């Protein structure tokens, strides 16, 4: 009887914590990070920033008419998708609440997979277009492209604009 009680107690605690986790939206999902409201991304401002970056890059690379086709393919791959990444509408909170935990987890896994597959496809398109553009650049243009890409990638991999760590020395 004691073993059965312990098993039921553990199962109950696990179920309660799982339900609590599913019923709450994480601070990161709500736009909070470390207790502070993160800036909301305005699609128009983001697109303007991308357009400016591409115009600056095109000027630095001095794209020739012969390279224009590869450049157009590259810039098209940089545009955000015109339709939402997740094609299927997510179930409502009410519908999720009615589902047993394993089914709810399967729904969440399917949505995550759909999102990740779409992101991977977009990255593949971008990488293929970037490689095709790089192949038609002159050696001097390739050096500029290498430097620009390294500078931008540093921001994505823990470095700030000044080359330092973005975490201010925290481990």
């Amino acid at each position: 009887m004691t073993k059965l009680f312990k098993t039921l107690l553990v199962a109950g605690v696990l179920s309660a914590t799982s339900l609590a986790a599913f019923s709450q939206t994480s601070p990161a999902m709500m736009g909070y990070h470390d207790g502070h409201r993160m800036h909301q991304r305005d699609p128009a401002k983001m697109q303007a920033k991308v357009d400016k970056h591409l115009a600056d890059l095109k000027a630095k690379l001095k794209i020739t008419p012969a390279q224009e086709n590869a450049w157009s393919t590259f810039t098209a791959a940089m545009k955000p998708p015109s339709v939402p990444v997740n094609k299927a509408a997510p179930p409502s909170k009410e519908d999720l609440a009615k589902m047993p935990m394993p089914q709810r987890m399967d729904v969440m896994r399917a949505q995550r997979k759909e999102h990740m597959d779409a992101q991977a496809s977009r990255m593949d398109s971008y990488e293929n277009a970037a490689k095709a553009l790089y192949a038609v650049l002159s050696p001097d243009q390739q050096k500029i492209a290498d430097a620009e890409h390294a500078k931008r990638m540093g921001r994505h991999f823990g470095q700030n604009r000044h080359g330092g760590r973005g975490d201010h020395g925290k481990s």
Side-chain angles (χ1 to χ4, degrees):
M1 191 80 151
T2 306
K3 187 175 182 179
L4 177 63
F5 178 73
K6 286 180 182 178
T7 303
L8 290 173
L9 180 63
V10 169
V13 169
L14 288 174
S15 296
T17 56
S18 296
L19 289 173
F22 286 122
S23 68
Q24 295 178 353
T25 303
S26 75
M29 297 293 284
M30 292 173 32
Y32 287 89
H33 180 67
D34 293 336
H36 299 289
R37 184 85 171 145
M38 292 178 3
H39 90 157
Q40 295 294 324
R41 294 183 178 174
D42 177 359
K45 286 182 182 178
M46 288 175 59
Q47 188 59 50
K49 190 174 183 177
V50 168
D51 291 345
K52 181 180 180 337
H53 164 69
L54 290 173
D56 292 346
L57 183 59
K58 186 175 184 179
K60 286 179 185 178
L61 291 173
K62 299 177 183 160
I63 297 295
T64 67
Q67 297 166 330
E68 197 63 46
N69 190 33
W71 176 258
S72 295
T73 302
F74 172 73
T75 58
M78 295 283 290
K79 292 187 182 203
S82 57
V83 295
V85 175
N86 287 340
K87 295 173 184 79
S92 68
K93 280 188 175 184
E94 294 80 21
D95 289 341
L96 281 173
K98 293 175 187 174
M99 294 178 191
M101 182 183 67
Q103 183 182 1
R104 191 178 309 125
M105 293 174 102
D106 288 344
V107 168
M108 293 170 63
R109 177 181 290 126
Q111 288 179 321
R112 185 175 63 245
K113 183 179 179 339
E114 182 181 350
H115 176 78
M116 296 305 289
D117 288 349
Q119 291 290 79
S121 177
R122 287 188 62 227
M123 286 303 299
D124 288 346
S125 295
Y126 163 75
E127 290 165 356
N128 291 335
K131 287 177 182 180
L133 174 62
Y134 192 87
V136 300
L137 297 177
S138 71
D140 287 338
Q141 289 173 311
Q142 288 177 349
K143 287 179 186 175
I144 294 167
D146 290 340
E148 289 296 312
H149 187 261
K151 183 170 58 174
R152 292 190 65 77
M153 293 316 305
R155 291 186 206 151
H156 295 285
F157 291 106
Q159 293 182 345
N160 61 27
R161 293 177 192 208
H162 307 292
R165 298 264 325 148
D167 59 5
H168 304 289
K170 295 177 187 171
S171 312

